[in-house]
Amino acid sequence: MAEWNNSQLRKYNIKLGKIPVLQHDDPKLDSYLCNNKPVLIKGSQLISSALNWDIDYLQKHMSSICCNVMISSNHRFKYYDQKKITPTLTFKPLSRPSPMTFSEFADKMKKWKKGDPRLYMQQALNNSIGHHIVRDFVMFNWDWVISKQKICKWGPLTSNLLLISQEGNITPCHYDEQQNMFAVVRGHKRFILFPPSQFECLYPHPVHHPYDRQSQVDFDNPDYIKFPKFKDACGYEVVVGPKDVLYIPIYWFHHVESLMSSSYTVSINFWFKTGPIEKIEYPLQDYQKMTIMRNVEKMLGEALHDPNEVGSILRTIVVGRYTSDEN
Ligand code: SIN
Ligand code: FE
């Protein structure tokens, strides 16, 4: 399979460091995972049994399965929560869901030409996906990933998404509320990660907005007047290739690009809930503060019966009181 090179990485005006790379049996690995530090893991064999998952193989074994496919008029696939779209909101997403069978998706991918809408499939792997795929799935290296889940006291595995993306597609910067072991099967994905402490530089949408958890900043064309602190954003990057697993800690922002080393990428994520908190220790960690912020926003929205009032009431609390020099 073709390799990637630096010229394929999109250029952004962001300071970038590197994500550490460790072998699966490196004694230092568990301390990264248990302390919410991202790391690229080599040699875990997590998805070895899926390395033959190309479009032809999947078409053969998943042909009539109905899949979640997103269609976008540009290269950005900014996720939104349909349930948060209200009648009063003028919300015009650039990508839209277009469910279709795997066969239809595969045909569209094969016939795709420049100028056509772009495609990105994101389908949960469950037991309706056909017995060949289920057979490969049960042969994942569950022992390894479950041992990490236990060591880090994560909660249950909630889902595995199968992601098939055209080269050049981008998942814009956002955070998730789960721990993510992200495995690449085919092609290469470039990730840029930011810790939760950079919340103020990345300006996520309010929680009640359909784009909840997504940064408002367009990395291709940042609006520094609206988002001045984006200049201070400082990320960590890594290119994840076949057999690699990237640990994306809960609440870490991530921006993802499928590189041109192949015409499409195939990847599988493993989402785990966080475990119950056994003992709260102060000072709180940044991700715990993120939970508090989300809950305050949600609570105010509900109490006020109008999410549009949340911003002004928060400003009233802060301005002139928590912002004066006396503090
Ligand atoms: C992607 O791979 O495009 C997105 C993965 C994620 O956001 O977890
Ligand atoms: Fe994500």
Side-chain angles (χ1 to χ4, degrees), residues 171 174-176 180 213 248 252 254 256 269 271:
T171 302
H174 67 283
Y175 65 86
D176 297 305
N180 192 351
R213 302 185 289 101
I248 310 169
W252 274 65
H254 45 288
V256 192
N269 75 15
W271 260 326

Side-chain angles (χ1 to χ4, degrees), residues 86-150:
T86 55
T88 52
L89 199 71
T90 41
F91 178 70
K92 289 207 182 63
L94 288 168
S95 58
R96 62 183 165 86
S98 175
M100 60 183 84
T101 63
F102 193 90
S103 252
E104 287 171 303
F105 168 70
D107 289 341
K108 279 191 198 301
M109 290 283 280
K110 287 174 190 166
K111 285 196 216 120
W112 191 88
K113 53 187 189 327
K114 217 166 163 244
D116 288 351
R118 285 178 162 270
L119 305 156
Y120 199 155
M121 195 199 91
Q122 306 195 353
Q123 174 61 34
L125 290 174
N126 52 37
N127 48 16
S128 72
I129 50 167
H131 73 271
H132 272 88
I133 305 297
V134 171
R135 191 191 57 194
D136 298 338
F137 177 87
V138 297
M139 281 162 59
F140 288 174
N141 191 353
W142 292 106
D143 286 349
W144 179 76
V145 77
I146 287 168
S147 76
K148 298 305 171 199
Q149 174 195 25
K150 290 218 172 91

Side-chain angles (χ1 to χ4, degrees), residues 64-319:
S64 57
I65 308 292
C66 186
C67 295
N68 286 319
V69 176
M70 295 299 288
I71 302 241
S72 177
S73 46
N74 68 11
H75 59 285
R76 286 159 53 88
F77 288 75
K78 190 168 175 175
Y79 171 83
Y80 57 91
D81 185 346
Q82 212 114 26
K83 294 191 290 299
K84 294 187 179 175
I85 302 178
T86 55
T88 52
L89 199 71
T90 41
F91 178 70
K92 289 207 182 63
L94 288 168
S95 58
R96 62 183 165 86
S98 175
M100 60 183 84
T101 63
F102 193 90
S103 252
E104 287 171 303
F105 168 70
D107 289 341
K108 279 191 198 301
M109 290 283 280
K110 287 174 190 166
K111 285 196 216 120
W112 191 88
K113 53 187 189 327
K114 217 166 163 244
D116 288 351
R118 285 178 162 270
L119 305 156
Y120 199 155
M121 195 199 91
Q122 306 195 353
Q123 174 61 34
L125 290 174
N126 52 37
N127 48 16
S128 72
I129 50 167
H131 73 271
H132 272 88
I133 305 297
V134 171
R135 191 191 57 194
D136 298 338
F137 177 87
V138 297
M139 281 162 59
F140 288 174
N141 191 353
W142 292 106
D143 286 349
W144 179 76
V145 77
I146 287 168
S147 76
K148 298 305 171 199
Q149 174 195 25
K150 290 218 172 91
I151 290 167
C152 302
K153 302 200 168 79
W154 292 342
L157 176 81
T158 59
S159 59
N160 291 98
L161 277 190
L162 169 63
L163 303 108
I164 304 184
S165 167
Q166 288 179 299
E167 59 94 352
N169 286 357
I170 284 187
T171 302
C173 184
H174 67 283
Y175 65 86
D176 297 305
E177 295 181 272
Q178 302 199 61
Q179 305 283 6
N180 192 351
M181 288 289 216
F182 190 96
V184 169
V185 172
R186 298 183 74 80
H188 294 83
K189 275 181 162 173
R190 185 242 200 141
F191 283 74
I192 303 178
L193 269 63
F194 303 87
S197 57
Q198 294 199 18
F199 190 92
E200 285 184 68
C201 306
L202 294 164
Y203 302 87
H205 289 266
V207 290
H208 55 265
H209 193 278
Y211 281 142
D212 176 23
R213 302 185 289 101
Q214 312 283 324
S215 170
Q216 296 178 71
V217 184
D218 176 354
F219 281 22
D220 291 328
N221 192 14
D223 182 341
Y224 292 113
I225 309 284
K226 246 170 123 179
F227 308 119
K229 289 202 172 120
F230 183 63
K231 286 200 185 96
D232 303 328
C234 190
Y236 300 89
E237 74 173 325
V238 70
V239 173
V240 188
K243 306 181 192 171
D244 295 342
V245 176
L246 175 64
Y247 166 54
I248 310 169
I250 180 168
Y251 289 133
W252 274 65
F253 290 84
H254 45 288
H255 154 107
V256 192
E257 330 175 346
S258 282
L259 302 185
M260 276 186 308
S261 57
S262 59
S263 61
Y264 63 91
T265 58
V266 178
S267 25
I268 301 167
N269 75 15
F270 294 68
W271 260 326
F272 292 91
K273 283 197 189 284
T274 45
I277 296 171
E278 283 165 359
K279 184 166 167 273
I280 298 188
E281 283 177 34
Y282 292 91
L284 293 179
Q285 295 185 40
D286 293 324
Y287 83 91
Q288 295 171 311
K289 291 186 184 166
M290 295 263 286
T291 316
I292 295 174
M293 289 193 287
R294 290 185 64 80
N295 286 339
V296 168
E297 275 188 78
K298 282 186 205 161
M299 225 164 53
L300 287 177
E302 278 164 31
L304 294 163
H305 269 236
D306 182 0
N308 294 319
E309 280 190 48
V310 172
S312 68
I313 209 162
L314 285 172
R315 261 188 299 276
T316 307
I317 295 172
V318 170
V319 172

